[in-house]
Amino acid sequence: MRRAPAGPASDRSLRGTVLNVFTHGILLTWAAMVVLPLAWAVLSSFKTSDEVLASPWSLPATPRWENFVEAWTTAEIGRYFVNTAVVVTVGSALTLSMGALVAYVIARYSFRGNRAVYYLFVLGMTFPTFLAIVPLFFVARSLGLADSLIGLAIIYSVYSLPFAVFFLTAYFRTLPAAMAEAAFIDGCGHWGTFLRIMLPVARPGLVSVGIFVVLGQWNQYLLPLILQSSPDKYVLTQGLANLAVSQGYAGNWSALFAGLTISILPVLVVYLSFQRQIQAGMVAGALK
């Protein structure tokens, strides 16, 4: 008895299976590229420096929790951590507050030059940071912002603002105009409508932008390298680089990996805590 030829449904099923295998293979490869170096760094933070060099891929013979104490105190990671927390907290707050206000005005109000202002912020996203390093240093020094934690936070917020405005403008455009109209009818002014109605509704978008802003500012290295010259005002990226370079081949690798783990944990905790809000904000902004 002859078997009937495969139909279009069978071909589509076969193509779907091949595509799923290919897609899952790429995702697994990408996950391994991200997770394995992270896991290796965390494991190395529990080893001695000799174990890191002699057996980098093995488990630690005895977990050394004192590496974290040494990194926090002797290597001064604790001071760098506090400096980074201050700078990122202030910088992120400035970025979100200014970005939300500018994005709301661009998205909800029609005025002459609206599109020009929007595309100016989009252009700011494409401008390479290193091209402005020299003039930025002299401007920051003349304004008293150089070698200052608050000054660095202000500069962080300026560099993060174009991304925040770009993302939040698209998000505010998806919100129904009827909400603002109802607020105006009930007697709310422009500020009241923005602060009491539109801003709370835009919370998923704000959380999404906030996570990316925090990640970008927490991992920033070039700007503090140029603007922060006093060791007591170093941020984490500077402190870790200084710890690796200053000791040369006699580097304290266990303390270095412990400091690296300390710098990673806050970002990882924040992301895992808000991953649902990030996904909800990204999906909402894309679909509405």
Side-chain angles (χ1 to χ4, degrees), residues 68-191:
F68 294 90
V69 177
E70 183 180 1
W72 188 266
T73 56
T74 306
E76 298 184 308
I77 296 298
R79 181 169 63 185
Y80 305 146
F81 185 95
V82 173
N83 291 344
T84 306
V86 170
V87 172
V88 172
T89 300
V90 176
S92 301
L94 288 174
T95 301
L96 291 178
S97 57
M98 293 188 298
L101 184 59
V102 173
Y104 177 73
V105 172
I106 293 176
R108 312 301 297 189
Y109 293 90
S110 298
F111 56 91
R112 182 176 298 178
N114 180 295
R115 304 306 297 171
V117 173
Y118 173 73
Y119 285 117
L120 187 62
F121 280 102
V122 174
L123 183 63
M125 295 175 58
T126 66
F127 189 79
T129 303
F130 64 87
L131 291 181
I133 285 298
V134 175
L136 175 63
F137 172 77
F138 288 106
V139 170
R141 189 175 65 175
S142 64
L143 295 177
L145 301 178
D147 205 21
S148 166
L149 295 180
I150 300 301
L152 185 62
I154 293 173
I155 294 173
Y156 274 8
S157 65
V158 171
Y159 271 89
S160 303
L161 190 59
F163 168 75
V165 171
F166 172 75
F167 187 99
L168 291 175
T169 298
Y171 194 87
F172 276 119
R173 284 173 178 166
T174 65
L175 301 181
M179 298 177 62
E181 294 173 358
F184 284 127
I185 293 174
D186 289 340
C188 273
H190 295 284
W191 277 104

Side-chain angles (χ1 to χ4, degrees), residues 2-287:
R2 302 180 63 181
R3 181 177 299 177
S10 300
D11 294 339
R12 285 196 299 269
S13 177
L14 179 60
R15 287 196 297 268
T17 302
V18 173
L19 181 61
N20 286 335
V21 170
F22 181 73
T23 304
H24 283 77
I26 293 178
L27 292 176
L28 289 174
T29 303
W30 178 258
M33 293 172 61
V34 173
V35 172
L36 290 180
L38 179 62
W40 177 74
V42 173
L43 285 176
S44 298
S45 67
F46 291 98
K47 298 179 179 180
T48 64
S49 296
D50 293 336
E51 286 180 314
V52 172
L53 297 176
S55 54
W57 304 109
S58 64
L59 295 174
T62 303
R64 290 175 53 88
W65 295 96
E66 57 268 27
N67 290 342
F68 294 90
V69 177
E70 183 180 1
W72 188 266
T73 56
T74 306
E76 298 184 308
I77 296 298
R79 181 169 63 185
Y80 305 146
F81 185 95
V82 173
N83 291 344
T84 306
V86 170
V87 172
V88 172
T89 300
V90 176
S92 301
L94 288 174
T95 301
L96 291 178
S97 57
M98 293 188 298
L101 184 59
V102 173
Y104 177 73
V105 172
I106 293 176
R108 312 301 297 189
Y109 293 90
S110 298
F111 56 91
R112 182 176 298 178
N114 180 295
R115 304 306 297 171
V117 173
Y118 173 73
Y119 285 117
L120 187 62
F121 280 102
V122 174
L123 183 63
M125 295 175 58
T126 66
F127 189 79
T129 303
F130 64 87
L131 291 181
I133 285 298
V134 175
L136 175 63
F137 172 77
F138 288 106
V139 170
R141 189 175 65 175
S142 64
L143 295 177
L145 301 178
D147 205 21
S148 166
L149 295 180
I150 300 301
L152 185 62
I154 293 173
I155 294 173
Y156 274 8
S157 65
V158 171
Y159 271 89
S160 303
L161 190 59
F163 168 75
V165 171
F166 172 75
F167 187 99
L168 291 175
T169 298
Y171 194 87
F172 276 119
R173 284 173 178 166
T174 65
L175 301 181
M179 298 177 62
E181 294 173 358
F184 284 127
I185 293 174
D186 289 340
C188 273
H190 295 284
W191 277 104
T193 301
F194 172 68
L195 294 175
R196 298 178 183 177
I197 307 299
M198 306 306 289
L199 200 59
V201 174
R203 181 186 174 187
L206 289 171
V207 172
S208 300
V209 173
I211 294 298
F212 290 114
V213 169
V214 168
L215 289 174
Q217 295 185 2
W218 189 274
N219 295 323
Q220 181 62 247
Y221 176 69
L222 182 59
L223 291 178
L225 178 66
I226 300 300
L227 298 173
Q228 304 295 92
S229 57
S230 300
D232 61 332
K233 295 179 181 178
Y234 280 179
V235 295
L236 268 173
T237 50
Q238 282 180 286
L240 290 172
N242 184 64
L243 179 62
V245 172
S246 62
Q247 299 184 33
Y249 290 104
N252 188 347
W253 297 107
S254 57
L256 179 62
F257 280 111
L260 180 62
T261 303
I262 292 173
S263 68
I264 292 173
L265 283 178
V267 177
L268 191 61
V269 169
V270 169
Y271 181 81
L272 292 177
S273 301
F274 292 97
Q275 61 176 333
R276 291 186 179 180
Q277 287 87 339
I278 296 174
Q279 295 171 359
M282 298 293 287
V283 173
L287 296 181

